[in-house]
Amino acid sequence: MEQKGLGTSREQWRWIPFIVSFMLLCSRASAQIRYSIAEEVKEGTVVGNVAKDLGLEKNTLKDRGCRIVEGSTESFFHVNQNDGILYVDRIIDREEVCERSSVCLINLKTVLENPLEIHYVTVEVLDVNDHSPTFSKKESRLEISESVLPGLRLQLQAAHDPDVGQFSVQEYKLSPNDHFRVEVKDRGKDGKIPVLVLLKTLDRETKKIHNLLLTAIDGGKPSKSGAAEITVDVLDVNDNMPVFNEDTYSVLLEENAPIGTIIIQVNASDLDEGSNGDIVYSLGKNVNSRITELFHVDPNTGEISVQDLIDFELEESYEIDIQASDKGPAPLRTDKSVLVNIVDLNDNTPHIEVTSFSKAIPENARLGTTVALISVLDKDSGLNGRVICSFDEDVPFSLSPSTQDNMYSIVTKSLLDREKKSIYDVTIVAKDAGVPSLSSKKSISIIVSDVNDNSPQFSASPYTYYVSENNSPGASVFSVMASDHDEGDNSRILYHILRDGKEKDKLHSINLNINSETGDILALKSFDFETLKKFQFQVVASDSGTPSLSSNVTVNVFILDQNDNAPVILYPVSSNGSAEGVEEIPRNVNAGHLVTKVRAYDADIGYNGWLLFSLQEVSDHSLFALDRYTGRIRTLRSFTETDEAEHKLLILVKDNGNVSLSATATVLVKVVEPKEAFAASDVKSATKDDEDDNVTFYLMITLGSVSTLFLISIIVLIAMQCSKSTDYTSKYLQEPNYDGTLCHSIQYRSGEKRYMLVGPRMSIGSTIVPGSHANTLMLPDRRHTSGENETL
């Protein structure tokens, strides 16, 4: 006996570690926050302090957007973001929310953002006794044969009470009588069923009808009740009841079975003969309406078939009451339960719910920034309800699983650039692990918002423009344009001319203005090629972002000459300022003798400054000839005795502009005898000697003034040349063969290039410069091995 007791103690000690582990596991599992409230409480009722129970800081709840997310589309609760207390939003009807469930639980998600947190809260809705038991039929009729022995048990119609637990139907009472009493059969989730028990044999001849009152009472305090009238008709003879051939019936049925599928066939027999032994099958009187919708019993064969969609997610099993009744005058019935267990199939696609979503995310967001929070629900169970989420294409986002099953957050996995792509249409694919697998998709559009990360870019750099002189003041002469890849204010561009230091003074003298919105540049006064041939300035384009970004561009402007200056006669010029002169030549000169040379000057350049000479009037065309390009007047032949002694020549000097401008000069040629020519020369010399004494004093003053002005001009010219930039300095060069006409021998230098204004005679190896009206040549630079063309 002692050894046996010792063995028993060892066995008890062996189970202690397992018991301790089980208790620890239970303590961890019970750590979830759970509240209880009664149904039908008023709106605004306090459920519990979520912030306190979860250990959250109250002063951060509002900034972090604390809110309650429920699994259903209806909202029963809300959390106050100031104190963290959970309140009831509207009256909760437990019977409507949980229907027949014995425990009514509402699962809530408490979501906080920045950073993202999720906490789970369960609220149990407690039942109150707000319903009375009711019978679907207020009156029912039973037929019992008088031959039936005491102990007969007949199931009666059960009362229905929407309440659960102790507030549901707890007992039945039968009105006082001598033949019957009522017993209660507990059917678990289907409630308590009243059973009518026959206490002693009925005597039809003594009493044909028995009127009974069946009362159903719930367990509330005070209790509530409902009643139904039962009429018992006493019949004669038929004294054998149908008997089923199986004690229990149980079957497995896959959900979604086709309508008409035969589940099982029940069979009963009756020892009576004739109509008293014929069996009719039907559903029991206490089956609920849902069973009558789903199943059908063939009255003749006892086959139970499917007549509506079977869904495992709605109910996992059904207990069907089958009644077998004979056809005797007083039919006898036997009840039997058939247990149908539903087999789950993978027939529910995962459902994707976007719990939290930031529709716009800045393009400079850091890696790992949360964009959205999603939850996935699959009503199936086991592997059929296990879901894996992914994207259906390569996007700069990733799905990060949460610690809670079927919760994911969408986060950035690479840098974003709105200028490359501003909207991402992201498709989330949720796929379960069932066979065959089912999947669903959810598309969301993630907008990438702009930040000012692009500076304005000009369409060209640098800008080069050619503008004709004498432009209209105030008119737009050229424009610049910049673009910005950003959007909104970040891409709105404003222009201004950079004015600083010497450049500011120079631009002030040019009088330029710019339209700050369009970039059109206006000249407030006309350009004069003879005063200014080229200039440059800078334009700044700034966007309106914060902070603002800008870029600048150099604008080179070249002034193009127009024919706005008429030729000026330099020689001959008379004392009164007119273009007239007298030339005396000996009569004995030979042909080709140079009589004189008409000199003229035009301030324009190119064709506009290229001068041509022509004889408009001459007394004898055979005596004199005028060089078209140099203005030299020569004799064509020797003079004869018959030639006139005085000849008047009218010379026309004109330029080659589109609208030619001209001037005239008159040369009076006197032909004298050789001796007279020498005498006239002596007379002039003598006269000059007399005059020299009178004008010496004035000449000295004049020469001193001219010298002073010349020195000042040289100093100013040198200062201007030094102040000019190397790239845009023009230096005019004197042609070695310059003859004073300025018609086709002007050369100048710009930077490293030499240019020459030409007439019809062009030098070999020269190039026409674009934009110069085909009157400027660029000369080969023999100082370098290879030349580079540059446009003026």
Side-chain angles (χ1 to χ4, degrees):
M1 293 294 291
E2 291 179 358
Q3 291 180 354
K4 184 177 181 181
L6 182 61
T8 304
S9 297
R10 290 178 179 175
E11 290 295 327
Q12 293 176 349
W13 283 104
R14 185 181 302 170
W15 286 100
I16 287 178
F18 296 100
I19 295 173
V20 172
S21 300
F22 178 77
M23 293 177 64
L24 290 175
L25 182 61
C26 292
S27 65
R28 294 178 183 175
S30 63
Q32 185 175 6
I33 297 176
R34 181 166 176 166
Y35 301 108
S36 297
I37 61 168
E39 68 173 332
E40 308 291 342
V41 296
K42 296 181 179 179
E43 297 177 6
T45 300
V46 175
V47 180
N49 194 325
V50 176
K52 179 180 179 181
D53 295 336
L54 292 177
L56 303 175
E57 295 181 5
K58 294 182 181 180
N59 57 354
T60 64
L61 296 179
K62 190 170 184 179
D63 293 337
R64 297 182 64 186
C66 179
R67 66 185 185 280
I68 293 297
V69 179
E70 298 184 25
S72 65
T73 57
E74 299 176 338
S75 176
F76 294 104
F77 306 94
H78 78 276
V79 64
N80 189 310
Q81 295 183 350
N82 294 320
D83 53 18
I85 295 178
L86 183 67
Y87 293 91
V88 176
D89 258 354
R90 60 192 180 91
I91 295 176
I92 303 174
D93 186 351
R94 183 189 182 283
E95 286 69 34
E96 179 182 349
V97 174
C98 297
E99 294 184 353
R100 301 176 61 190
S101 298
S102 59
V103 179
C104 184
L105 300 178
I106 298 179
N107 295 315
L108 309 177
K109 304 175 198 172
T110 303
V111 179
L112 297 95
E113 297 181 351
N114 300 322
L116 184 65
E117 290 184 22
I118 301 175
H119 300 279
Y120 297 89
V121 177
T122 300
V123 178
E124 180 181 3
V125 181
L126 303 177
D127 190 24
V128 296
N129 192 23
D130 56 346
H131 295 87
S132 298
T134 58
F135 290 88
S136 60
K137 294 181 181 181
K138 294 296 183 181
E139 297 180 0
S140 60
R141 183 174 292 275
L142 297 176
E143 294 179 345
I144 302 177
S145 174
E146 64 176 351
S147 62
V148 174
L149 298 176
L152 172 67
R153 303 170 65 86
L154 296 176
Q155 286 189 9
L156 301 177
Q157 172 193 353
H160 174 68
D161 192 337
D163 297 324
V164 296
Q166 65 178 359
F167 300 128
S168 62
V169 176
Q170 297 298 315
E171 62 176 338
Y172 291 90
K173 290 184 179 181
L174 195 64
S175 58
N177 66 92
D178 297 329
H179 293 85
F180 302 94
R181 67 179 176 87
V182 66
E183 293 182 355
V184 178
K185 180 181 180 182
D186 193 347
R187 291 286 296 274
K189 65 179 180 179
D190 289 333
K192 292 179 171 58
I193 307 300
V195 178
L196 187 66
V197 180
L198 181 63
L199 296 178
K200 63 180 181 178
T201 305
L202 299 175
D203 187 0
R204 182 178 178 278
E205 288 70 30
T206 303
K207 192 173 183 179
K208 182 178 180 180
I209 298 175
H210 296 266
N211 293 316
L212 306 175
L213 182 65
L214 180 64
T215 302
I217 304 171
D218 63 21
K221 293 182 180 181
S223 62
K224 295 183 178 183
S225 63
E229 294 181 359
I230 301 174
T231 300
V232 179
D233 294 327
V234 181
L235 302 180
D236 200 10
V237 187
N238 190 17
D239 56 354
N240 285 290
M241 299 174 57
V243 178
F244 286 93
N245 58 357
E246 297 287 344
D247 292 334
T248 59
Y249 290 96
S250 179
V251 68
L252 295 177
L253 175 64
E254 290 185 350
E255 64 174 331
N256 304 324
I259 294 176
T261 300
I262 297 175
I263 304 172
I264 194 174
Q265 183 178 14
V266 296
N267 187 27
S269 60
D270 194 317
L271 298 178
D272 294 324
E273 294 182 354
S275 60
N276 293 331
D278 294 336
I279 305 299
V280 176
Y281 301 94
S282 63
L283 292 174
K285 293 183 178 181
N286 293 310
V287 296
N288 57 45
S289 58
R290 183 57 179 161
I291 290 180
T292 60
E293 294 173 358
L294 294 176
F295 304 101
H296 171 72
V297 179
D298 189 296
N300 299 317
T301 64
E303 292 178 344
I304 303 175
S305 60
V306 177
Q307 65 176 7
D308 201 352
L309 180 65
I310 305 297
D311 190 353
F312 174 85
E313 285 68 41
L314 295 179
E315 196 72 42
E316 298 181 6
S317 65
Y318 296 93
E319 188 172 357
I320 307 174
D321 287 339
I322 303 297
Q323 187 177 82
S325 175
D326 58 30
K327 295 181 181 181
L332 299 179
R333 294 185 295 271
T334 302
D335 296 316
K336 183 65 67 173
S337 296
V338 177
L339 180 62
V340 180
N341 294 310
I342 309 302
V343 179
D344 183 36
L345 297 179
N346 191 23
D347 60 338
N348 289 279
T349 58
H351 174 69
I352 303 173
E353 176 188 356
V354 180
T355 304
S356 179
F357 179 39
S358 300
K359 290 189 177 179
I361 182 171
E363 59 179 321
N364 62 347
R366 293 180 299 177
L367 299 182
T369 300
T370 300
V371 180
L373 179 68
I374 64 171
S375 61
V376 184
L377 176 64
D378 194 318
K379 294 181 179 180
D380 294 320
S381 60
L383 291 177
N384 296 332
R386 186 173 298 175
V387 181
I388 300 175
C389 289
S390 63
F391 292 122
D392 69 342
E393 58 181 348
D394 186 21
V395 291
F397 306 98
S398 62
L399 283 166
S400 177
S402 174
T403 55
Q404 182 70 16
D405 289 343
N406 297 334
M407 291 291 298
Y408 294 87
S409 57
I410 301 177
V411 298
T412 57
K413 71 174 183 180
S414 60
L415 298 178
L416 305 176
D417 188 350
R418 190 204 65 83
E419 287 68 42
K420 292 183 178 179
K421 192 167 185 179
S422 60
I423 299 179
Y424 288 91
D425 293 322
V426 178
T427 301
I428 305 165
V429 179
K431 187 176 183 180
D432 62 30
V435 179
S437 177
L438 298 178
S439 63
S440 62
K441 295 183 178 181
K442 179 78 172 181
S443 296
I444 59 175
S445 293
I446 300 175
I447 300 174
V448 182
S449 60
D450 185 47
V451 296
N452 193 23
D453 57 349
N454 290 277
S455 58
Q457 299 295 322
F458 284 93
S459 58
S461 181
Y463 284 95
T464 301
Y465 291 103
Y466 298 88
V467 182
S468 298
E469 64 175 332
N470 302 321
N471 56 293
S472 299
S476 175
V477 288
F478 43 81
S479 65
V480 296
M481 184 179 69
S483 60
D484 196 314
H485 294 300
D486 295 320
E487 65 177 2
D489 287 342
N490 295 334
S491 65
R492 189 166 64 88
I493 298 175
L494 297 177
Y495 303 89
H496 71 272
I497 296 176
L498 183 63
R499 305 175 190 270
D500 56 349
K502 297 180 180 179
E503 196 68 24
K504 179 177 180 181
D505 298 336
K506 183 177 179 181
L507 291 176
H508 180 73
S509 64
I510 300 175
N511 285 333
L512 292 177
N513 200 358
I514 188 170
N515 187 313
S516 62
E517 295 183 355
T518 64
D520 293 335
I521 299 175
L522 295 79
L524 303 182
K525 69 176 186 179
S526 298
F527 296 122
D528 184 7
F529 176 82
E530 287 70 38
T531 303
L532 180 68
K533 292 180 174 56
K534 58 180 175 292
F535 63 90
Q536 75 170 199
F537 62 95
Q538 287 191 326
V539 175
V540 179
S542 304
D543 60 31
S544 301
T546 303
S548 177
L549 300 179
S550 63
S551 61
N552 55 3
V553 67
T554 300
V555 181
N556 299 317
V557 182
F558 295 87
I559 310 302
L560 300 179
D561 183 42
Q562 287 186 335
N563 192 23
D564 58 347
N565 292 280
V568 177
I569 305 297
L570 300 178
Y571 180 84
V573 178
S574 63
S575 59
N576 60 5
S578 62
E580 296 181 356
V582 178
E583 296 291 339
E584 293 183 351
I585 60 173
R587 183 179 291 278
N588 60 352
V589 296
N590 297 323
H593 176 73
L594 177 63
V595 177
T596 187
K597 180 178 180 179
V598 178
R599 289 182 172 84
Y601 149 79
D602 194 318
D604 296 320
I605 66 169
Y607 282 158
N608 297 329
W610 173 34
L611 301 181
L612 297 177
F613 301 84
S614 63
L615 281 171
Q616 293 295 103
E617 297 181 11
V618 62
S619 56
D620 190 344
H621 288 283
S622 65
L623 274 176
F624 302 99
L626 175 65
D627 189 286
R628 177 177 178 82
Y629 302 107
T630 65
R632 292 186 178 93
I633 301 175
R634 296 182 182 274
T635 57
L636 292 175
R637 60 178 175 81
S638 301
F639 291 94
T640 63
E641 295 296 330
T642 59
D643 291 329
E644 296 289 335
E646 185 174 309
H647 299 271
K648 180 180 180 181
L649 283 70
L650 182 61
I651 315 311
L652 176 65
V653 182
K654 67 176 182 178
D655 58 31
N656 277 268
N658 291 332
V659 178
S660 180
L661 302 178
S662 63
T664 58
T666 303
V667 177
L668 187 62
V669 180
K670 293 183 178 180
V671 182
V672 298
E673 296 300 327
K675 293 181 179 181
E676 293 179 358
F678 293 127
S681 175
D682 294 337
V683 170
K684 291 180 179 180
S685 299
T687 304
K688 184 176 181 181
D689 291 338
D690 294 335
E691 294 175 350
D692 284 344
D693 294 335
N694 297 326
V695 300
T696 300
F697 176 75
Y698 301 103
L699 183 60
M700 292 177 64
I701 294 175
T702 302
L703 289 174
S705 300
V706 171
S707 299
T708 301
L709 292 174
F710 178 74
L711 289 174
I712 293 174
S713 300
I714 293 299
I715 293 172
V716 172
L717 180 61
I718 292 173
M720 291 176 64
Q721 291 294 332
C722 292
S723 64
K724 292 182 179 180
S725 62
T726 305
D727 293 337
Y728 298 99
T729 301
S730 298
K731 180 179 179 182
Y732 287 88
L733 305 176
Q734 181 70 33
E735 185 182 6
N737 298 326
Y738 172 66
D739 57 11
T741 65
L742 304 178
C743 65
H744 65 283
S745 58
I746 296 177
Q747 298 185 25
Y748 64 94
R749 179 182 300 279
S750 176
E752 297 296 327
K753 305 294 186 293
R754 294 176 63 240
Y755 300 93
M756 180 175 71
L757 307 177
V758 299
R761 304 185 184 99
M762 293 186 180
S763 60
I764 299 174
S766 302
T767 306
I768 297 295
V769 177
S772 61
H773 297 296
N775 57 10
T776 304
L777 293 181
M778 185 173 69
L779 301 179
D781 192 350
R782 294 176 174 81
R783 297 177 298 173
H784 303 282
T785 57
S786 60
E788 181 181 288
N789 293 342
E790 182 176 289
T791 303
L792 178 59

